[in-house]
Amino acid sequence: MVPSPRWNSLAASSAITPTEIVLRDRNDRLIGQLRFHACPACRTGRILDIWVCDAWQHQGLGRELVHCLLAHRPGYRWSTTLQTQAGRAFFLAMAQETTVAWPHAEPLCCHLTGSFRRIWRALLDRRPPPC
């Protein structure tokens, strides 16, 4: 019999610090994780990665991680990093289930981009940074 998973959520100290939602088994072993950035000012976020241990695959735990994220950050506009073929299929299914778009590599808000990237982009665009 497979022990039931336990959810833990770790808070980030700032918008540029990744936040994790972790899933552990009864023996406190890590079996799943979703890392993301979120900006409360702009209500945008990006999933950095989502992972479920091979032994726990195909039980809906990745799906539950995404639902947990949406419950903690309702009304946010989300994007993901570049996706593998399996990742694209997963987020396409999640888009149909949640009615949330999950585009990959969509531009982040200025708070999540970081100062170096904002300055670099402003130099390339020859205009002042937006934030």
Side-chain angles (χ1 to χ4, degrees), residues 23-90:
L23 181 58
R24 297 186 179 276
D25 68 10
R26 286 188 182 161
N27 296 319
D28 208 35
R29 290 182 296 237
L30 181 66
I31 59 172
Q33 175 182 15
L34 185 148
R35 288 184 334 115
F36 65 96
H37 285 298
C39 175
C42 299
R43 299 186 64 78
T44 61
R46 174 171 287 168
I47 292 180
L48 303 173
D49 58 62
I50 184 169
W51 166 85
V52 175
C53 178
D54 290 343
W56 290 82
Q57 292 280 325
H58 306 291
Q59 297 182 43
L61 297 179
R63 176 182 168 276
E64 292 301 321
L65 284 166
V66 170
H67 280 283
C68 185
L69 172 66
L70 295 175
H72 287 315
R73 301 292 193 281
Y76 277 54
R77 183 174 45 94
W78 291 99
S79 66
T80 68
T81 56
L82 292 175
Q83 302 166 359
T84 63
Q85 185 175 358
R88 285 189 298 273
F90 173 76

Side-chain angles (χ1 to χ4, degrees), residues 2-34:
V2 177
S4 60
R6 240 183 19 178
W7 296 94
N8 293 318
S9 181
L10 306 174
S13 58
S14 72
I16 59 171
T17 303
T19 302
E20 297 176 328
I21 299 172
V22 296
L23 181 58
R24 297 186 179 276
D25 68 10
R26 286 188 182 161
N27 296 319
D28 208 35
R29 290 182 296 237
L30 181 66
I31 59 172
Q33 175 182 15
L34 185 148

